[in-house]
Amino acid sequence: MMTLAIHDQRLAGPGSQNAAMRDYDSVRRAIAFISEKWRTQPTIEAMADAAGVTPDELHHLFRRWASITPKAFMQALTLDHAKGLLRDSASILDAALDSGLSGPGRLHDLFVTHEAMSPGEWKNGGAGLTLRYGFHHSPFGTAIVIATDRGLSGLAFADPGEEQVALADMTRRWRNATYVEDHEGTAPLAQRIFDTKLWRPDQPLRVVMIGTDFEVRVWETLLKIPMGRAVSYSDIACNINSPKASRAVGAAVGKNPVSFVVPCHRALGKSGTLTGYHWGITRKQAMLGWEAGQLGLQ
């Protein structure tokens, strides 16, 4: 039987955490506006009005949040940018898989090491597993971090007030596991994921993948995509030797339980379109823009 311990005070905390929540809420509203209006190249005043802040506040907020200006972020969301992400992606991915590395862009990435749980552990719905979870602030709203003793096994996102829905979505994936709230225990993982100063090759982040063999192969391929690049579902299908399985690949990408770290947000439609994302298209756009800002610092 699943044991689920939840405390309503989980989001209460230092003012910095609440400020981060407010920051992302403003950023989320700005991104939604930019995503809808980018073709008209809206002014900073229009963006700020949509976000409910002043133009100066929005400018400083974006600089603090992604190290880029709102205008640069708007450029990062254009269709031309998406197509640019895809340019030569197949050759990049092929080279990464052939060499066992993921290209020079991974010098800026999470340095992830991973393992897959046995098919039996997946088939029995996680029976016998104890999964610890905690709610933490992140650049993309509230992050729900889920871990086993072997490493990170789940990462979900939620807007304010939707934390329980996101948690329920994750627990349904492994119905027979035991879930224990452990904010203090999962906090180092959250810091390790979102603090770029801790992205170090000598201290790789261990990820435990819980899924079918096909899903795990798709997720492992996602880990090969360098930051600042993207691939199409058909590229992934070809690289797992299932060229006709683009639709199945898309379904597996959508079921990725370790969002952001296993970068399903870097999977785009063949034309460069930002196709569906389990935690919302706006959040997918935010991740791509945030990564563009991080690369701009290098």
Side-chain angles (χ1 to χ4, degrees):
M1 178 180 298
M2 182 177 72
T3 301
L4 188 60
I6 299 175
H7 303 291
D8 288 338
Q9 66 267 30
R10 65 195 178 280
L11 293 178
S16 59
Q17 177 169 335
N18 294 330
M21 299 285 190
R22 290 192 299 272
D23 281 357
Y24 180 69
D25 185 57
S26 296
V27 167
R28 178 178 58 82
R29 283 181 281 158
I31 291 170
F33 175 81
I34 294 169
S35 302
E36 181 181 354
K37 304 291 187 181
W38 64 265
R39 288 177 180 83
T40 64
Q41 297 292 292
T43 64
I44 182 68
E45 288 79 12
M47 297 179 200
D49 185 62
V53 295
T54 68
D56 282 346
E57 287 171 337
L58 184 63
H59 179 85
H60 291 301
L61 174 60
F62 261 85
R63 293 287 298 179
R64 184 169 70 250
W65 180 76
S67 302
I68 54 177
T69 66
K71 182 178 180 180
F73 189 87
M74 178 168 63
Q75 293 170 343
L77 293 184
T78 64
L79 184 58
D80 284 343
H81 175 74
K83 288 180 178 178
L85 287 176
L86 282 174
R87 190 174 300 124
D88 300 325
S89 62
S91 62
I92 289 172
L93 188 54
D94 285 339
L97 293 172
D98 288 343
S99 66
L101 301 173
S102 51
R106 286 293 284 180
L107 293 175
H108 309 283
D109 219 327
L110 290 168
F111 299 102
V112 172
T113 182
H114 68 278
E115 64 176 287
M117 287 196 167
S118 70
E121 288 174 305
W122 173 79
K123 287 180 180 178
N124 66 17
L129 280 177
T130 296
L131 297 177
R132 297 174 292 108
Y133 70 90
F135 296 84
H136 304 276
H137 69 275
S138 83
F140 315 110
T142 301
I144 299 114
V145 177
I146 301 176
T148 72
D149 291 338
R150 289 148 64 178
L152 178 72
S153 57
L155 179 61
F157 295 95
D159 292 326
E162 298 296 324
E163 296 84 6
Q164 295 300 318
V165 174
L167 177 60
D169 177 277
M170 296 299 286
T171 59
R172 281 194 296 268
R173 298 168 189 242
W174 312 296
R175 293 180 181 276
N176 298 322
T178 297
Y179 292 84
V180 178
E181 184 171 21
D182 184 6
H183 181 274
E184 184 175 345
T186 53
L189 276 175
Q191 185 178 23
R192 174 71 179 76
I193 293 165
F194 299 114
D195 185 348
T196 56
K197 294 188 294 293
L198 300 179
W199 294 6
R200 296 174 52 183
D202 59 331
Q203 295 181 4
L205 177 68
R206 178 164 291 277
V207 173
V208 180
M209 298 177 177
I210 309 174
T212 67
D213 178 66
F214 180 83
E215 289 169 347
V216 169
R217 284 195 292 142
V218 170
W219 301 339
E220 288 175 335
T221 302
L222 291 173
L223 282 171
K224 306 293 185 180
I225 307 171
M227 180 186 285
R229 289 288 181 178
V231 300
S232 68
Y233 299 125
S234 58
D235 287 334
I236 296 172
C238 288
N239 277 282
I240 61 172
N241 298 315
S242 300
K244 297 182 179 180
S246 294
R247 184 169 295 181
V249 165
V253 169
K255 292 180 180 177
N256 170 31
V258 192
S259 301
F260 184 67
V261 172
V262 178
C264 50
H265 59 282
R266 297 179 197 159
L268 306 179
K270 193 168 185 178
S271 66
T273 54
L274 292 171
T275 51
Y277 184 63
H278 190 78
W279 305 111
I281 286 290
T282 298
R283 189 167 276 109
K284 182 173 185 172
Q285 294 166 323
M287 289 177 179
L288 291 172
W290 185 87
E291 288 182 340
Q294 298 305 312
L295 288 172
L297 293 176
Q298 303 302 321

